[in-house]
């Protein structure tokens, strides 16, 4: 049995708890959040977890095998530092790994010789239709030359303290939200980015909101083009005022032999009951010769859909992390992967601000190299 400590007890933390509850070898035994009501609710959801009154108290809890960090983005680095210094344990840390370029080298040093597994939570890898696309992309395309990821979704949801309304606490939309997609680009391409070009802005969402007199500056739409070392390219299209869409994510990979697509619906709880059953994820393979398309439905276990908003991916991620903590398998999303996704996001933020393309090193992006952005 793996006993988890949960740091942060907001909405995403509840999804982590519900999926850990489904694991045969896992349970949340202790939780911490500076908002007592959130911590108490999370403890109940976990089946009676202990409520710690500080991160130090959580780390001092005797029956603790791993820590899951689900706190606001800007708290990740200091909490990681505290865990490493106080009680080194296996860690699953929500994305983004960090939000400030000045923290890049610090994170690199922090885990250079860390004796335990550290997994960065990139749930989108494990959505069943996305995982199917990743597994079949090479064969279906003959080698991906163009990759397009479109996310048309709902606006940022309310969060405690409204931290997700401001670039200073999130790293900016192209870091906070889109590091998922930049991680997928590297995974699907099996290559490293060399140049990032972006155009982005705040067109619709949060414009009339004020928090302590401050207007939100978080972007709600973007185009990002990423060039890769071996000549392939990828594009992200983000719109966060398009919750009326049938599918939330549409991923298309194309190569000399054909095209493969994944269509992923958004959270079922947001689907209008008047429209009937929510759409089922699809995988579409369209060879050039003979011409396709061949359409397959990839339904997700209803139990997993009930346990979160990410098409079952949080369960599959925890299933793998749990196995690693128990000594089976290896970390699939490393600190280096998490840092590389942040690096692309930060380069995209910079490109959109300045109107200039941003070059990245041609070797795998390390945390130390992010500090140059």
């Amino acid at each position: 049995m793996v006993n988890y400590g949960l740091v942060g007890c907001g909405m995403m933390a509840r999804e982590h708890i519900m999926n850990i509850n489904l694991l045969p070898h896992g349970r949340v035994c202790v939780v911490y959040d500076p908002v007592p009501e959130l911590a108490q609710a999370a403890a109940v959801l976990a089946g009676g977890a202990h409520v710690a009154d500080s991160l130090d108290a959580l780390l001092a809890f005797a029956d603790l095998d791993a820590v899951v960090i689900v706190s606001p983005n800007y708290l990740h680095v200091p909490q990681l530092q505290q865990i490493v210094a106080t009680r080194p344990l296996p860690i699953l840390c929500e994305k983004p790994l960090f939000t400030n370029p000045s923290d890049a080298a610090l994170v690199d040093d922090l885990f250079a010789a860390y004796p335990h597994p550290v997994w960065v939570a990139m749930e989108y890898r494990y959505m069943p239709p996305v995982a199917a696309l990743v597994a079949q992309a090479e064969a279906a395309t003959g080698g991906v030359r163009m990759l397009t990821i479109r996310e048309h979704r709902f606006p940022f949801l309310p969060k405690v303290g409204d931290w997700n309304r401001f670039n200073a606490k999130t790293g900016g939309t192209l870091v906070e939200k889109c590091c998922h997609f930049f991680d997928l680009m590297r995974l699907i391409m099996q290559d490293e980015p060399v140049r990032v070009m972006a155009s982005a802005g705040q067109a619709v969402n949060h414009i009339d909101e004020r928090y302590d007199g401050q207007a939100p500056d978080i972007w709600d739409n973007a185009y990002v083009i990423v060039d890769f070392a071996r000549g392939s390219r990828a594009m992200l299209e983000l719109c966060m005022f398009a919750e009326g869409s049938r599918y939330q994510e549409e991923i298309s990979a194309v190569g000399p032999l054909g095209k493969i697509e994944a269509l992923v619906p958004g959270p079922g709880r947001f689907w209008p009951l008047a429209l009937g059953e929510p759409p089922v994820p699809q995988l579409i393979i369209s060879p050039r010769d003979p011409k396709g398309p061949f359409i397959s439905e990839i339904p997700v276990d209803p139990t997993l859909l009930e346990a979160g908003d990410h098409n079952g991916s949080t369960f599959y991620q925890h299933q793998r992390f749990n196995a690693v903590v128990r000594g089976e398998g290896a970390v699939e999303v490393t600190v280096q992967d998490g840092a590389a996704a942040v690096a692309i996001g930060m380069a995209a933020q910079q490109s959109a601000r300045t109107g200039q393309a941003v070059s990245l090193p041609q070797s795998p992006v390390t945390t130390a190299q992010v500090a140059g952005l």
Side-chain angles (χ1 to χ4, degrees):
M1 179 65 66
V2 176
N3 294 309
Y4 295 85
L6 200 74
V7 181
C9 297
M11 183 186 68
M12 190 61 198
R14 295 179 66 83
E15 179 165 329
H16 280 281
I17 291 170
M18 288 187 287
N19 282 278
I20 292 171
N21 286 347
L22 296 174
L23 296 173
H25 304 293
R27 70 184 183 100
V28 175
C29 63
V30 57
V31 300
Y32 164 66
D33 194 286
V35 180
E37 295 81 6
L38 289 178
Q40 291 290 347
V44 171
L45 185 64
H50 175 74
V51 177
D53 59 10
S54 67
L55 179 53
D56 277 330
L58 180 144
L59 294 173
F61 193 77
D63 295 328
L64 186 60
D65 302 312
V67 179
V68 180
I69 297 177
V70 206
S71 55
N73 299 357
Y74 64 98
L75 297 176
H76 291 176
V77 169
Q79 289 171 346
L80 288 168
Q81 288 177 291
Q82 191 170 345
I83 294 167
V84 171
T86 304
R87 187 177 175 185
L89 287 165
I91 300 169
L92 188 148
C93 182
E94 263 297 342
K95 58 76 193 168
L97 190 58
F98 55 91
T99 60
N100 191 325
S102 65
D103 286 332
L106 185 156
V107 170
D108 208 26
D109 292 340
L110 194 64
F111 294 112
Y114 194 67
H116 300 287
V118 180
W119 187 301
V120 181
M122 293 293 188
E123 287 91 1
Y124 282 48
R125 289 186 178 208
Y126 301 103
M127 292 179 175
V130 176
L133 182 146
V134 171
Q136 299 179 49
E138 182 69 22
T141 65
V144 179
R145 300 294 188 270
M146 297 180 70
L147 173 68
T148 303
I149 300 176
R150 171 188 289 174
E151 181 171 69
H152 282 194
R153 57 161 280 164
F154 49 92
F156 282 118
L157 297 172
K159 295 290 180 75
V160 175
D162 307 302
W163 64 269
N164 66 340
R165 296 302 197 256
F166 298 95
N167 291 331
K169 291 185 175 181
T170 62
T173 299
L174 301 182
V175 172
E176 201 289 330
K177 181 73 201 71
C178 300
C179 62
H180 275 305
F181 304 122
F182 302 135
D183 176 65
L184 283 178
M185 287 178 183
R186 292 181 64 246
L187 180 66
I188 293 168
M189 296 297 201
Q190 290 294 294
D191 198 3
E192 297 298 333
V194 294
R195 187 172 65 160
V196 179
M197 296 164 281
S199 176
Q202 184 183 14
V204 175
N205 297 342
H206 319 306
I207 290 174
D208 296 327
E209 298 174 8
R210 296 295 181 270
Y211 301 95
D212 296 326
Q214 295 186 342
D217 60 358
I218 199 77
W219 295 340
D220 58 18
N221 70 98
Y223 291 106
V224 182
I225 297 174
V226 183
D227 289 338
F228 283 82
R230 294 198 296 268
S232 59
R233 54 188 46 84
M235 186 184 81
L236 168 68
E237 176 187 327
L238 175 72
C239 179
M240 298 189 69
F241 43 90
E243 59 265 45
S245 305
R246 182 170 180 81
Y247 292 102
Q248 182 168 287
E249 288 87 27
E250 301 179 14
I251 303 175
S252 170
V254 189
L257 298 184
K259 177 170 71 172
I260 185 170
E261 300 169 89
L263 306 180
V264 187
R269 64 191 176 102
F270 294 155
W271 185 255
L273 293 176
L275 297 180
E277 291 297 316
V280 176
Q282 291 185 351
L283 185 74
I284 306 170
I285 298 177
S286 304
R288 296 178 70 188
D289 185 21
K291 293 181 179 178
F294 301 97
I295 302 174
S296 303
E297 290 192 338
I298 303 185
V300 179
D301 185 333
T303 301
L304 302 187
L305 292 176
E306 287 292 324
D309 289 340
H310 295 85
N311 281 273
S313 60
T314 303
F315 173 78
Y316 295 118
Q317 173 181 260
H318 269 295
Q319 192 177 52
R320 288 164 167 80
F321 176 68
N322 182 277
V324 171
V325 175
R326 292 184 288 108
E328 302 173 6
V331 172
E332 295 178 13
V333 192
T334 65
V335 169
Q336 290 72 32
D337 290 324
V342 168
I344 301 172
M346 288 182 173
Q349 289 279 142
Q350 178 180 328
S351 177
R353 283 196 308 268
T354 64
Q356 302 296 315
V358 176
S359 295
L360 291 172
Q362 293 194 29
S363 57
V365 181
T366 67
T367 47
Q369 291 163 332
V370 181
L373 294 174

